[in-house]
Amino acid sequence: MIIVLKPDATEQQITHLVKRVKALGLKPMISKGVERTIIGVIGEEDVLRVQPLEIFPGVEKVVPILAPYKLVSREFKPNGTVISLNSHAAVGGKPLVIMAGPCAVENYETLLAIAKSVKKAGATVLRGGAYKPRTSPYSFQGLEEEGLKYLKDVSKKVGMLTITELMDVRDLDLVERHVDIIQIGARNMQNFDLLKEVGLSKKPVLLKRGMASTIKEWLLSAEYILQNGNFNVMLCERGIRTFETDTRFTLDINAVPVIKGSSHLPVIVDPSHSTGRWGLVPAIAKAGIAAGADGLLIEVHNKPEEALCDGPQSILPDRFAKLMGELKRVARAVGRDL
Amino acid sequence: MIIVLKPDATEQQITHLVKRVKALGLKPMISKGVERTIIGVIGEEDVLRVQPLEIFPGVEKVVPILAPYKLVSREFKPNGTVISLNSHAAVGGKPLVIMAGPCAVENYETLLAIAKSVKKAGATVLRGGAYKPRTSPYSFQGLEEEGLKYLKDVSKKVGMLTITELMDVRDLDLVERHVDIIQIGARNMQNFDLLKEVGLSKKPVLLKRGMASTIKEWLLSAEYILQNGNFNVMLCERGIRTFETDTRFTLDINAVPVIKGSSHLPVIVDPSHSTGRWGLVPAIAKAGIAAGADGLLIEVHNKPEEALCDGPQSILPDRFAKLMGELKRVARAVGRDL
Amino acid sequence: MIIVLKPDATEQQITHLVKRVKALGLKPMISKGVERTIIGVIGEEDVLRVQPLEIFPGVEKVVPILAPYKLVSREFKPNGTVISLNSHAAVGGKPLVIMAGPCAVENYETLLAIAKSVKKAGATVLRGGAYKPRTSPYSFQGLEEEGLKYLKDVSKKVGMLTITELMDVRDLDLVERHVDIIQIGARNMQNFDLLKEVGLSKKPVLLKRGMASTIKEWLLSAEYILQNGNFNVMLCERGIRTFETDTRFTLDINAVPVIKGSSHLPVIVDPSHSTGRWGLVPAIAKAGIAAGADGLLIEVHNKPEEALCDGPQSILPDRFAKLMGELKRVARAVGRDL
Amino acid sequence: MIIVLKPDATEQQITHLVKRVKALGLKPMISKGVERTIIGVIGEEDVLRVQPLEIFPGVEKVVPILAPYKLVSREFKPNGTVISLNSHAAVGGKPLVIMAGPCAVENYETLLAIAKSVKKAGATVLRGGAYKPRTSPYSFQGLEEEGLKYLKDVSKKVGMLTITELMDVRDLDLVERHVDIIQIGARNMQNFDLLKEVGLSKKPVLLKRGMASTIKEWLLSAEYILQNGNFNVMLCERGIRTFETDTRFTLDINAVPVIKGSSHLPVIVDPSHSTGRWGLVPAIAKAGIAAGADGLLIEVHNKPEEALCDGPQSILPDRFAKLMGELKRVARAVGRDL
């Protein structure tokens, strides 16, 4: 941590600061420049992070040197994490993982029909929401426990793994019993109590990026989960909020290589929510793979006209099957399998 | 709702759409223009809102006509809501309400000292966090139940009302028993299960705006609370996330008159979080009042150097007392009392 | 255009509006709903676009139906534009076009060395700034005419085409005489006098997206150029400004398929400015191609440590050569050549 | 400037860096910490600013210590600048300056009528665009020279000063001859050639903030003007682009006290463009004054229904006159005159 002093900082103020830094068991290194004095602080930066040094008289700004996260960083674990889903599927290895299915679990028949088609096209994980975070209280809120059961039954029948969103700490047990991967949605990325609870779970967690969260904040939210003992976390880029209104969100494609550089956790791209328009899903799915993502989360519906949520961004099973062929070629071009 | 068709929409597609609209008990009105055909839909728009009409073949876009919220709208209730806090304090009337105190409850003595000073300066409500939503798991997470008790004891001693943040549905009972106003933080603005729970509470709720939430989404989150029966909701603008980095957030001052026009709920401005710098708090507090806010939420600390959170944005008791005098003059200039 | 009236709009107000619409030679279609009356306007929407109908008493909002641009739209020209650069190079066809070179032309020798290496690796167009739009007046401002001469001499020597940025209408003649493609930078995307002037030029124009411009505004800026007679415009996505600070800008990858859907103009992706970090350039270059871009604009420098601008985002000639091999594979995977 | 090294930086890399820093006439100060080595650089930071030190092997990041601007900074000139407009009007002193008028000069009669009314209500400067930067080429582009003449004639007749926007360097002479204050619009904030030219003018300049420009970039654009000799610059906050769509832009009210702290230049607030809705103008105008602005720029039109641009954000002369009374009270409450 580096403390930059104001041009008119007094000797007394500097002495006061130095004393405080020493009291924390750290070593201050003073450099007096022509226009500014700076104090470099050596030692465990964490001790200082909680101290509001900006507020000390004479201080202009405080510059942290180290990244604020540890367990999720690539410095902590240089090799990429590979999360084993079952005996023949894993996230983060050479093969990509495709998760597909409807936005929400609507009924058994529809789920089964969609599951069969995405399984046939090559998807490994069936997605489907039982608890839906809806902007409006007047929108469909999900089938809850009934939806979880359909997910479990259908996935067993077709031979797929499952992922669903958990919104409320009180539903954790139920969700754990029914699905293979727990999704934390964008709106709950900083629901810290929820993060702590899934940190105690044994299930892999897919953590979506908050729509206005920086990559740093996203990694810190993942840190909450790892810190509680669950290292099986994958990060899902699903678009951030910008001024552009032609698409629902703006996929931050830069985030894929940035995360790959800063963290050992696998990265998933969601081309459905990040665009909000089914016609854009294929192009963005391919871009995600080309940028280095370890998998995709795609909304597929056999009757988008009747979908109870996110119809406009769901692609048809046929388009999905065709896309899988296209993705295979892009995957190979960048040294991955599908 | 208006459905705009593509230039090449076929008669068959139009018939298909019209049939669907009628099946929902609504009345379609077709207008054929030179370049486009449009269908105006008359009837309860809510029925249509959950239908993904954008996905129908031949449809270019769907334009909602009505605001998606009802109970929070000024059309629903033309007169502004006045929330009674006790026999002599209310939010939304002519007198402004000032809520002040430390970011977090740290210990009894500090809280008491700060409470005495803000009470003396004219604040009505004591703020202080017992559960703290911290970006990093390594930051101070709050005193929890102990903090709630300090809040209750101190407020009784000095004669103030209290506000604290609720983060987890499991803590609602405890929070309800100890404080007068329940705060829902920016990070939980779309934690819908939490909104539903406080909707069942009898306590007034202060709902902070999510840092990337539109005004429409914010009002829809409030709608969740009102819909469950709790009409005592006040909205708190606390800054949105933009590209500007000189301040922690960007206070959306426009939101104050926009909300006043669209909704009957009172509006509170938080000049501390929206700037992140104590030196900016007085100017922004005054601007908030001038723009029409019904109150302010301000962080005050007697030793910001030692504050366990948000020291850089807390003002000293003396500066707060001086600010109260300045605010009084601005309040009167815009026809309010303080 | 659709005019939505307020719930309390009077008959008199409606009559006033209808009269105005008719006076403009248009046909109003009134639909009275339960909660709102709407007026659909049939005829040339442009006539209405300049009328501030929102301001009429009784009007709640006005919803345009047609896109505000014409000449750049795919409706106007269903087939994609292919811009011929010379007898064997074109932008917008099956082969991709790679433009590479230093941020700024610094001196003859450096430019020559870089040009040789990018030409050898397969780039077709040499980029290099002679006029530099620098945020600070204290930064290197470019070699101006001398730089243009170096570009011309070097490109002839190595057999490449050239592109450089034009900032000032007074330099148009000089720039036209020396380079093959005129670049309009992000900061000048809405410098309308400059757009009008290059609209009169015969040279192809690469129009960068403004860092806070919507896709609609970008297309309208291109419309200025086409409207003056120059149809050889390519659009360059170079990152938009968002709240994320880990990268210099956020590449809006969604914009590639969006533009492909709305316009017939070719799209170029700039992975250098949109990331600001050389380590991210390869991943983003591949993503751009996978998403459907027609070409790339990449900063390459043989001594980035000594570059007079944008060193941190320039890749070395060796890395560029390796990248070209990787891009070839991705290009083929999506049906393009390189 | 502080150079933070990577954890695995070698001695050789450090030596290489140190050599380079010394070669620039600066003094490196090395501090070896437990996890990182940092190098503080003492001396003229500007020398280093143009060096891409981030690119050196072993460097993790480079942190500037000093603000990148000089002449506009409050450190350079501790007292606020007061720009004299004529013998009895100045910007930056205790009295506020109100600039009002139509968006565009449309014809002599309309301009005269509006000028009379705003003058009577207390405005000092008449605004009106002769050259209009319009997003669409199909919108009204301004009366150009004819408009400048009307501005001059009308202002003489009613006894006001004038302000108009300059868009093209070729029009500078003409604009200088006709108006008192030259406005540089948001879209041209980084049109550096234009900034350099008005830097050579003797007329006061009002520099609007770019819609996606940080405060730092805005101050650097002002630095271009001061550096060329023109110190009579006022900064106009007119709203930045954010995700919020209920208003045209988001007024960054925080910018007012931030600029007051960092710079000696006067600040003007534009409540018309920053909201885009006439109903919000009064609240935001009052907020601007309460936050410390030195003046306002307000669009007023006597027939907004017929205005050729920006009708929806123009207020009527009567509302403006009433607003002036309200502003007077707020101005006094914060120690200013009107």
Side-chain angles (χ1 to χ4, degrees):
Chain A
M1 194 162 281
I2 292 160
I3 304 164
V4 180
L5 298 174
K6 289 187 182 157
D8 56 0
T10 64
E11 275 308 312
Q12 203 181 352
Q13 290 170 340
I14 297 175
T15 309
H16 177 51
L17 250 174
V18 162
K19 222 171 112 184
R20 176 63 161 267
V21 169
K22 282 183 179 163
L24 291 163
L26 302 166
K27 193 180 157 199
M29 308 270 296
I30 304 176
S31 306
K32 300 207 174 183
V34 181
E35 307 195 49
R36 288 283 191 288
T37 293
I38 61 173
I39 303 177
V41 179
I42 294 168
E44 269 293 312
E45 192 157 302
D46 290 339
V47 181
L48 266 183
R49 214 184 292 281
V50 297
Q51 296 289 323
L53 295 171
E54 294 94 331
I55 211 80
F56 274 67
V59 173
E60 181 158 307
K61 62 176 169 183
V62 174
V63 184
I65 297 304
L66 304 180
Y69 42 81
K70 288 191 185 272
L71 305 176
V72 301
S73 75
R74 208 169 259 280
E75 285 184 26
F76 177 78
K77 182 167 178 300
N79 293 325
T81 285
V82 178
I83 303 172
S84 173
L85 298 178
N86 63 18
S87 57
H88 49 275
V91 182
K94 200 182 174 192
L96 301 175
V97 171
I98 308 299
M99 314 184 192
C103 171
V105 177
E106 297 166 27
N107 57 61
Y108 184 84
E109 291 69 32
T110 302
L111 187 65
L112 182 63
I114 297 172
K116 280 181 178 168
S117 65
V118 297
K119 162 80 180 175
K120 195 181 160 198
T124 315
V125 181
L126 178 64
R127 62 152 290 155
Y131 303 95
K132 300 300 307 171
R134 304 306 297 273
T135 303
S136 165
Y138 305 112
S139 300
F140 174 61
Q141 308 273 320
L143 294 184
E144 307 188 355
E145 188 168 355
E146 195 187 348
L148 294 175
K149 283 180 184 159
Y150 292 162
L151 259 185
K152 192 168 189 174
D153 291 353
V154 164
S155 65
K156 275 197 178 162
K157 196 156 189 175
V158 300
M160 294 184 81
L161 293 157
T162 51
I163 180 169
T164 208
E165 178 166 351
L166 172 70
M167 288 171 63
D168 188 325
V169 287
R170 296 169 297 189
D171 300 321
L172 177 57
D173 284 352
L174 207 56
V175 167
E176 272 187 319
R177 281 205 306 276
H178 287 83
V179 302
D180 300 296
I181 306 173
I182 301 171
Q183 175 179 320
I184 301 294
R187 285 165 188 78
N188 281 313
M189 194 203 83
Q190 293 194 317
N191 182 336
F192 302 112
D193 291 290
L194 191 59
L195 298 177
K196 287 173 185 170
E197 291 292 337
V198 297
L200 296 169
S201 172
K202 302 264 183 260
K203 296 276 180 181
V205 175
L206 178 142
L207 178 65
K208 287 203 160 188
R209 179 179 184 179
M211 64 183 80
S213 299
T214 62
I215 293 171
K216 216 168 253 126
E217 290 166 343
W218 188 16
L219 289 172
L220 279 165
S221 284
E223 186 89 4
Y224 266 94
I225 305 174
L226 272 71
Q227 209 208 9
N228 263 9
N230 188 347
F231 273 64
N232 291 324
V233 175
M234 55 197 105
L235 300 165
C236 178
E237 165 63 36
R238 47 76 72 205
I240 57 173
R241 186 152 266 181
T242 68
F243 59 82
E244 180 57 64
T245 52
D246 255 25
T247 48
R248 193 168 166 193
F249 292 98
T250 299
L251 182 88
D252 182 3
I253 190 81
N254 291 353
V256 178
V258 167
I259 292 279
K260 285 285 165 192
S262 324
S263 175
H264 54 84
L265 299 176
V267 179
I268 305 295
V269 160
D270 174 345
S272 306
H273 284 86
S274 58
T275 60
R277 291 166 52 180
W278 64 267
L280 306 177
V281 168
I284 300 308
K286 285 180 265 184
I289 298 306
D294 297 297
L296 299 171
L297 186 65
I298 301 181
E299 288 189 0
V300 177
H301 202 288
N302 56 356
K303 291 181 189 168
E305 289 184 14
E306 292 169 12
L308 292 178
C309 81
D310 285 352
Q313 71 197 32
S314 297
I315 59 174
L316 288 163
D318 280 359
R319 185 67 193 87
F320 178 70
K322 182 164 170 276
L323 174 60
M324 287 296 284
E326 298 166 10
L327 291 173
K328 208 162 285 190
R329 287 193 290 280
V330 176
R332 278 175 199 156
V334 296
R336 303 296 285 266
D337 288 340
L338 184 64
Chain B
M1 191 162 285
I2 291 159
I3 304 165
V4 180
L5 298 174
K6 289 187 183 158
D8 55 1
T10 63
E11 276 307 312
Q12 203 183 354
Q13 290 170 340
I14 297 174
T15 309
H16 178 52
L17 251 173
V18 162
K19 222 171 112 186
R20 177 64 159 264
V21 168
K22 283 182 180 166
L24 291 162
L26 302 167
K27 193 180 158 198
M29 306 272 295
I30 305 176
S31 307
K32 300 206 175 184
V34 182
E35 306 195 48
R36 289 282 191 288
T37 292
I38 60 172
I39 303 178
V41 179
I42 295 167
E44 268 294 312
E45 194 158 301
D46 290 340
V47 181
L48 266 183
R49 216 184 290 282
V50 297
Q51 296 289 321
L53 294 172
E54 294 93 332
I55 211 80
F56 273 66
V59 173
E60 182 158 306
K61 61 177 171 183
V62 175
V63 185
I65 297 304
L66 304 179
Y69 42 80
K70 290 193 183 269
L71 306 176
V72 301
S73 74
R74 205 169 262 278
E75 285 184 27
F76 177 78
K77 181 169 178 301
N79 292 326
T81 285
V82 179
I83 304 171
S84 172
L85 298 177
N86 64 17
S87 57
H88 48 276
V91 182
K94 200 181 173 193
L96 301 174
V97 171
I98 308 297
M99 315 185 190
C103 171
V105 177
E106 298 166 25
N107 58 60
Y108 184 84
E109 291 69 31
T110 302
L111 187 65
L112 183 61
I114 298 171
K116 279 181 177 166
S117 65
V118 298
K119 162 82 180 174
K120 196 180 159 199
T124 316
V125 181
L126 178 64
R127 61 151 292 153
Y131 304 94
K132 300 299 307 170
R134 304 306 297 272
T135 303
S136 166
Y138 305 112
S139 299
F140 175 62
Q141 307 274 320
L143 294 183
E144 307 187 354
E145 187 168 355
E146 195 187 347
L148 294 175
K149 283 179 184 158
Y150 292 162
L151 259 184
K152 191 168 188 173
D153 291 354
V154 164
S155 65
K156 276 196 178 164
K157 197 157 190 173
V158 301
M160 293 184 83
L161 294 156
T162 51
I163 181 170
T164 208
E165 179 168 350
L166 172 69
M167 289 171 62
D168 189 325
V169 286
R170 296 169 297 189
D171 300 322
L172 176 56
D173 283 352
L174 208 55
V175 167
E176 272 188 319
R177 281 204 304 275
H178 287 83
V179 304
D180 301 296
I181 306 173
I182 302 172
Q183 175 179 319
I184 302 294
R187 287 164 187 78
N188 282 312
M189 193 203 83
Q190 293 194 317
N191 183 335
F192 302 110
D193 291 291
L194 192 58
L195 298 178
K196 287 173 187 171
E197 292 291 338
V198 297
L200 297 169
S201 172
K202 303 264 183 260
K203 296 275 181 180
V205 175
L206 178 142
L207 178 65
K208 287 202 160 188
R209 179 180 183 179
M211 62 182 82
S213 298
T214 61
I215 293 171
K216 216 167 252 127
E217 290 166 343
W218 187 16
L219 289 173
L220 278 165
S221 284
E223 186 88 5
Y224 266 95
I225 306 174
L226 271 70
Q227 208 208 9
N228 264 8
N230 188 345
F231 273 64
N232 291 326
V233 175
M234 55 197 104
L235 300 164
C236 177
E237 165 64 36
R238 45 77 73 205
I240 57 173
R241 185 153 266 180
T242 68
F243 60 82
E244 179 57 64
T245 52
D246 256 26
T247 48
R248 194 169 167 194
F249 292 99
T250 299
L251 182 87
D252 182 3
I253 190 81
N254 291 353
V256 178
V258 168
I259 292 280
K260 285 286 167 193
S262 325
S263 175
H264 55 85
L265 299 175
V267 179
I268 305 295
V269 160
D270 174 345
S272 305
H273 284 87
S274 57
T275 60
R277 292 165 52 180
W278 65 266
L280 306 177
V281 168
I284 300 306
K286 283 179 267 185
I289 297 308
D294 298 295
L296 299 170
L297 185 64
I298 301 181
E299 288 189 1
V300 177
H301 202 287
N302 56 356
K303 290 181 187 169
E305 289 184 14
E306 292 170 12
L308 291 178
C309 80
D310 286 351
Q313 72 197 33
S314 297
I315 59 174
L316 288 163
D318 280 1
R319 185 67 191 87
F320 178 72
K322 183 164 170 277
L323 174 60
M324 287 296 283
E326 297 165 11
L327 290 173
K328 208 163 284 192
R329 286 193 291 279
V330 176
R332 277 175 200 158
V334 295
R336 304 296 286 263
D337 287 340
L338 184 64
Chain C
M1 192 161 283
I2 291 160
I3 304 165
V4 181
L5 298 174
K6 289 186 181 158
D8 56 359
T10 63
E11 276 306 312
Q12 202 183 354
Q13 289 170 340
I14 297 174
T15 309
H16 178 50
L17 250 173
V18 163
K19 220 171 118 186
R20 178 62 160 265
V21 169
K22 283 183 180 164
L24 291 162
L26 303 166
K27 193 180 158 198
M29 306 271 296
I30 305 176
S31 306
K32 299 207 175 181
V34 181
E35 306 196 50
R36 288 281 191 289
T37 294
I38 60 172
I39 303 177
V41 179
I42 295 167
E44 269 293 312
E45 193 157 301
D46 291 341
V47 181
L48 267 182
R49 215 184 292 283
V50 297
Q51 296 289 322
L53 294 172
E54 294 93 332
I55 212 78
F56 273 66
V59 173
E60 181 158 305
K61 62 176 169 180
V62 174
V63 184
I65 297 304
L66 304 180
Y69 42 80
K70 288 189 185 273
L71 305 177
V72 302
S73 74
R74 207 170 260 278
E75 285 185 26
F76 177 77
K77 183 169 176 299
N79 293 323
T81 286
V82 180
I83 303 172
S84 173
L85 299 177
N86 63 18
S87 56
H88 50 274
V91 182
K94 200 181 174 192
L96 301 174
V97 171
I98 308 298
M99 316 186 191
C103 171
V105 176
E106 297 166 26
N107 58 59
Y108 184 84
E109 291 69 31
T110 301
L111 186 65
L112 182 62
I114 297 172
K116 279 181 177 167
S117 65
V118 297
K119 161 81 181 175
K120 196 180 158 198
T124 315
V125 180
L126 178 65
R127 63 150 289 152
Y131 304 95
K132 299 300 307 169
R134 303 307 297 273
T135 302
S136 165
Y138 304 112
S139 300
F140 174 62
Q141 308 273 321
L143 295 183
E144 306 187 354
E145 186 168 356
E146 196 187 346
L148 293 176
K149 284 180 183 158
Y150 292 163
L151 258 185
K152 191 168 189 172
D153 291 354
V154 163
S155 65
K156 275 197 179 165
K157 198 158 187 173
V158 300
M160 293 184 83
L161 293 157
T162 51
I163 181 171
T164 207
E165 179 167 351
L166 172 70
M167 289 170 62
D168 188 325
V169 287
R170 295 170 298 188
D171 299 321
L172 176 58
D173 284 351
L174 208 55
V175 166
E176 273 188 319
R177 281 203 306 276
H178 287 83
V179 303
D180 300 298
I181 306 173
I182 301 172
Q183 175 180 318
I184 300 295
R187 286 166 187 78
N188 281 313
M189 194 204 83
Q190 293 194 317
N191 182 335
F192 301 111
D193 291 291
L194 192 58
L195 298 177
K196 287 173 186 170
E197 292 291 336
V198 298
L200 297 169
S201 172
K202 302 265 183 259
K203 297 275 182 182
V205 174
L206 179 142
L207 178 65
K208 287 202 160 188
R209 180 180 182 178
M211 62 183 82
S213 298
T214 62
I215 294 171
K216 215 166 252 126
E217 291 167 343
W218 189 15
L219 288 173
L220 279 166
S221 284
E223 186 89 4
Y224 266 96
I225 305 175
L226 271 71
Q227 208 209 9
N228 263 9
N230 188 346
F231 273 64
N232 292 324
V233 174
M234 55 197 105
L235 300 165
C236 179
E237 165 63 37
R238 46 75 74 203
I240 56 173
R241 186 154 266 179
T242 69
F243 59 82
E244 179 57 65
T245 53
D246 256 25
T247 47
R248 194 168 167 195
F249 292 98
T250 298
L251 183 86
D252 181 3
I253 191 80
N254 291 354
V256 178
V258 168
I259 292 279
K260 285 287 168 191
S262 324
S263 175
H264 54 85
L265 299 176
V267 179
I268 305 294
V269 160
D270 174 345
S272 305
H273 284 86
S274 58
T275 60
R277 292 165 53 181
W278 64 266
L280 306 178
V281 168
I284 300 308
K286 284 181 268 185
I289 298 306
D294 298 295
L296 299 170
L297 186 63
I298 302 180
E299 288 189 1
V300 177
H301 202 288
N302 56 355
K303 292 181 187 169
E305 290 185 14
E306 292 170 12
L308 292 178
C309 80
D310 285 350
Q313 71 196 34
S314 297
I315 59 174
L316 288 163
D318 281 0
R319 185 67 191 88
F320 178 71
K322 182 163 169 278
L323 175 59
M324 287 296 283
E326 298 166 11
L327 291 173
K328 208 163 285 190
R329 285 194 291 279
V330 176
R332 278 176 199 156
V334 295
R336 304 296 286 263
D337 289 339
L338 185 64
Chain D
M1 193 161 283
I2 291 159
I3 304 165
V4 181
L5 298 174
K6 289 186 180 157
D8 56 359
T10 64
E11 276 307 312
Q12 203 182 352
Q13 290 169 342
I14 298 175
T15 310
H16 178 52
L17 249 174
V18 163
K19 224 172 113 184
R20 176 64 160 266
V21 169
K22 283 182 178 163
L24 291 162
L26 303 166
K27 193 179 158 198
M29 306 271 296
I30 304 176
S31 307
K32 299 206 175 183
V34 181
E35 306 195 49
R36 288 283 190 288
T37 294
I38 60 172
I39 304 178
V41 179
I42 295 167
E44 270 291 314
E45 192 159 301
D46 290 339
V47 181
L48 266 183
R49 213 183 292 281
V50 297
Q51 296 290 323
L53 294 171
E54 293 94 333
I55 210 79
F56 273 66
V59 173
E60 181 158 306
K61 62 177 170 181
V62 174
V63 184
I65 298 304
L66 304 179
Y69 43 79
K70 288 190 185 274
L71 305 177
V72 302
S73 75
R74 206 168 261 279
E75 285 184 26
F76 176 78
K77 182 168 178 300
N79 292 325
T81 285
V82 179
I83 303 172
S84 172
L85 297 178
N86 62 19
S87 57
H88 49 275
V91 183
K94 198 180 174 192
L96 301 175
V97 171
I98 308 298
M99 314 185 191
C103 170
V105 176
E106 297 165 28
N107 57 61
Y108 184 84
E109 290 68 31
T110 301
L111 186 65
L112 182 62
I114 298 171
K116 279 181 178 168
S117 65
V118 296
K119 162 80 181 175
K120 195 181 161 200
T124 316
V125 180
L126 177 65
R127 62 150 291 153
Y131 303 95
K132 299 301 306 171
R134 303 306 296 273
T135 302
S136 164
Y138 305 112
S139 300
F140 175 61
Q141 307 274 321
L143 294 184
E144 307 188 356
E145 188 167 355
E146 195 188 346
L148 294 176
K149 283 179 184 158
Y150 291 162
L151 260 184
K152 192 168 188 172
D153 291 354
V154 164
S155 65
K156 275 197 179 164
K157 196 155 188 176
V158 300
M160 294 184 82
L161 292 158
T162 52
I163 180 170
T164 208
E165 179 168 351
L166 172 70
M167 290 171 61
D168 188 325
V169 287
R170 295 170 297 189
D171 299 321
L172 177 55
D173 284 353
L174 207 56
V175 166
E176 272 187 317
R177 282 204 305 275
H178 288 83
V179 304
D180 300 297
I181 305 173
I182 302 172
Q183 174 180 320
I184 301 294
R187 286 164 187 78
N188 281 312
M189 194 205 85
Q190 293 194 316
N191 181 336
F192 301 112
D193 291 290
L194 191 59
L195 298 177
K196 287 173 186 172
E197 292 292 337
V198 297
L200 297 169
S201 171
K202 302 264 182 261
K203 296 277 180 180
V205 174
L206 178 142
L207 178 64
K208 286 203 159 185
R209 179 180 185 179
M211 62 183 82
S213 299
T214 62
I215 293 171
K216 216 167 251 126
E217 290 166 342
W218 187 17
L219 288 172
L220 278 165
S221 283
E223 186 89 5
Y224 266 95
I225 305 174
L226 271 70
Q227 208 209 9
N228 263 9
N230 187 346
F231 272 64
N232 291 325
V233 175
M234 54 198 104
L235 299 165
C236 178
E237 165 64 36
R238 46 77 72 205
I240 57 174
R241 186 154 267 180
T242 69
F243 60 84
E244 179 57 64
T245 52
D246 256 25
T247 47
R248 193 168 168 194
F249 293 98
T250 299
L251 183 88
D252 182 4
I253 190 82
N254 290 354
V256 178
V258 168
I259 292 279
K260 285 285 166 193
S262 325
S263 175
H264 54 84
L265 299 175
V267 180
I268 304 296
V269 160
D270 174 346
S272 305
H273 285 85
S274 58
T275 59
R277 291 166 51 181
W278 64 266
L280 307 177
V281 168
I284 301 307
K286 284 180 265 184
I289 297 307
D294 299 296
L296 299 170
L297 185 65
I298 301 181
E299 288 188 2
V300 177
H301 203 288
N302 56 356
K303 292 182 188 168
E305 289 185 14
E306 292 169 13
L308 292 178
C309 80
D310 285 350
Q313 71 196 34
S314 297
I315 59 174
L316 288 163
D318 279 359
R319 184 67 192 89
F320 177 72
K322 182 164 169 276
L323 175 59
M324 287 296 284
E326 298 166 10
L327 291 174
K328 209 163 284 191
R329 287 193 291 278
V330 177
R332 277 175 201 157
V334 296
R336 304 295 285 264
D337 289 340
L338 183 64

